[in-house]
Amino acid sequence: MLHAEREIDGRRSALIKLAGLCGLALSGDALAALAATGKAPAAPELLSADALALTAVLAEHIIPATDTPGALAVGAHRTIDHMLMVCATATEQQSFIAGLERVDAVALAADGKRFRALPAKRRVALLHALDGAAAPFTADDQRFFRTLKSYTLFAYYTSEAGSTLELAYLPVPGGYKGNFPVRKNTRTWALT
């Protein structure tokens, strides 16, 4: 099994276990998407190759590589594509794709280049305008970007690298205390 396949399977398995342990309410579609087995897709599931590449660049700006891997390294763009395909409604899918197209259209109009071809400093400036709904971006564009950020955070922090290298990982919170003295007035623990 390739490293990417192991990471995808590990991410899905970890999230499902975490959901069960924490009693998280995930929709059946979300759990099915995470539990899906198989190899990492060679081609995008919903997005075009260009839209997937743009999603990768945007996600990497949201969570860049530092001393830990960034969104691109953990394949957040592929997870976003998969979640859109499996969990999003047709309207949400179209809105997301339209948001990506709008980012490229603004970059072309302002700079004569697609967003991915712009220098990093210019991309960051456009993303600040997008995040603040500043001209030429609108409130709809801002909603798209917030959706993208939400997907990126979910994809990153449910990856093995995001959950173990970026965050502190404690498999059993509170630790284990064996041989605990039990008395008549010792209370038991309730799991809620």
Side-chain angles (χ1 to χ4, degrees):
M1 195 181 278
L2 297 173
H3 176 71
E5 293 171 7
R6 283 193 304 265
E7 184 169 324
I8 289 169
D9 289 341
R11 173 178 44 220
R12 290 177 183 143
S13 176
L15 187 61
I16 290 169
K17 288 175 185 174
L18 178 65
L21 287 172
C22 297
L24 294 177
L26 291 176
S27 72
D29 286 343
L31 285 174
L34 293 168
T37 58
K39 297 180 179 182
E45 295 181 54
L46 174 73
L47 302 174
S48 68
D50 284 340
L52 184 66
L54 177 56
T55 302
V57 169
L58 291 167
E60 185 67 12
H61 275 287
I62 294 167
I63 303 178
T66 56
D67 58 334
T68 59
L72 181 63
V74 302
H77 58 298
R78 291 209 175 269
T79 303
I80 292 167
D81 179 48
H82 182 70
M83 292 293 288
L84 283 167
M85 181 68 180
V86 176
C87 301
T89 66
T91 302
E92 292 166 337
Q93 292 170 348
Q94 291 168 354
S95 178
F96 190 89
I97 292 168
L100 291 172
E101 291 170 351
R102 175 83 171 125
V103 168
D104 255 350
V106 167
L108 275 168
D111 298 290
K113 296 180 183 178
R114 296 177 70 174
F115 185 85
R116 292 182 336 213
L118 296 174
K121 190 173 184 176
R122 179 63 181 141
R123 283 189 247 157
V124 169
L126 282 174
L127 291 178
H128 281 292
L130 178 59
D131 196 31
F137 293 107
T138 66
D140 284 340
D141 298 327
Q142 182 185 45
R143 276 189 288 282
F144 154 75
F145 191 53
R146 289 185 176 169
T147 299
L148 173 64
K149 287 194 291 187
S150 177
Y151 275 122
T152 302
L153 291 172
F154 180 84
Y156 183 78
Y157 287 109
T158 57
S159 72
E160 183 178 352
S163 64
T164 60
L165 299 176
E166 175 92 10
L167 301 174
Y169 177 70
L170 184 59
V172 180
Y176 174 76
K177 295 179 184 173
N179 199 18
F180 189 79
V182 178
R183 295 181 179 75
K184 238 181 180 179
N185 62 350
T186 301
R187 294 182 183 187
T188 60
W189 293 97
L191 297 176
T192 57

